[in-house]
Amino acid sequence: PSWGAFIRQQAASVLACDFFTVETVTLRRYYVLFFIEIASRRVHIAGCTTNPTGAWVTQQARNLRFTGILERTRFLIHDRDSKFSAAFDEVFRSEGIKIIETPIRAPRANAYAERFVRTVRVECLDWLLILGRRHLDRVLSTYTAHYNAERPHRSLSLFPPDGSEGCK
């Protein structure tokens, strides 16, 4: 079967993660780590930092344990970025989650995460001047609350990830 068929069949138990960057008005670059549940499209912002080390990323994975997401996850998709260290992967393996690394230069292999990055940029970040970390945290918190609870998703029959009513 194809990659797309695998994802559709396993969507309820697949979690994807990736980074995107945000530049502030002072030209400081922040890296934002996020996770997206494939079946529901629910997004979880794990954190943002100017220096995403392997230790920082691993700590964010540990923090994700407290959200309850890992209990319903069987697969985690991420790229081959060096920030996703062996310790990061081990956090998920210890929960019985299989790690799937995407092939090199294959952004379509993590298409759900890539699509969220495009969406958050077009609908939110491209319209704002981010002042600093606290401002970025507040903006992303507000946007993900909107994205998860109110924004209609075409792939979900115009329902938001957390909502039960369509926004038709």
Side-chain angles (χ1 to χ4, degrees):
S2 71
W3 178 249
F6 169 79
I7 293 294
R8 282 188 295 279
Q9 185 178 11
Q10 301 294 329
S13 60
V14 177
L15 187 65
C17 67
D18 206 352
F19 283 93
F20 64 91
T21 59
V22 178
E23 299 269 342
T24 66
V25 294
T26 59
L27 301 180
R28 191 164 202 171
R29 178 175 290 152
Y30 285 94
Y31 295 83
V32 179
L33 174 63
F34 70 95
F35 293 85
I36 183 168
E37 298 176 58
I38 301 301
S40 68
R41 307 301 196 274
R42 186 170 188 359
V43 170
H44 308 272
I45 302 292
C48 61
T49 183
T50 56
N51 185 23
T53 63
W56 181 85
V57 174
T58 301
Q59 185 58 50
Q60 302 314 307
R62 287 187 193 114
N63 294 347
L64 194 66
R65 284 180 169 167
F66 298 111
T67 64
I69 298 168
L70 301 185
E71 296 167 3
R72 57 185 180 268
T73 302
R74 290 183 51 214
F75 301 99
L76 173 70
I77 300 172
H78 67 70
D79 59 23
R80 296 174 183 269
D81 192 323
S82 61
K83 293 182 279 293
F84 297 123
S85 64
F88 173 84
D89 289 348
E90 188 54 38
V91 170
F92 294 96
R93 282 192 190 105
S94 69
E95 297 286 331
I97 298 170
K98 182 176 178 5
I99 306 298
I100 300 173
E101 291 184 338
T102 61
I104 297 170
R105 294 189 187 135
R108 291 181 61 190
N110 200 356
Y112 296 95
E114 297 294 338
R115 178 62 183 154
F116 172 73
V117 172
R118 180 175 165 206
T119 300
V120 72
R121 286 194 192 288
V122 168
E123 293 183 2
C124 180
L125 297 172
D126 288 352
W127 295 91
L128 300 170
L129 295 175
I130 301 298
L131 303 175
R133 170 143 185 206
R134 285 180 45 203
H135 185 219
L136 177 59
D137 285 340
R138 211 172 3 205
V139 165
L140 290 175
S141 174
T142 302
Y143 181 75
T144 55
H146 163 72
Y147 183 90
N148 289 333
E150 300 167 3
R151 183 185 180 278
H153 292 255
R154 288 177 56 196
S155 61
L156 301 175
S157 301
L158 298 181
F159 291 96
D162 289 345
S164 59
E165 297 181 19
C167 299
K168 296 178 183 175

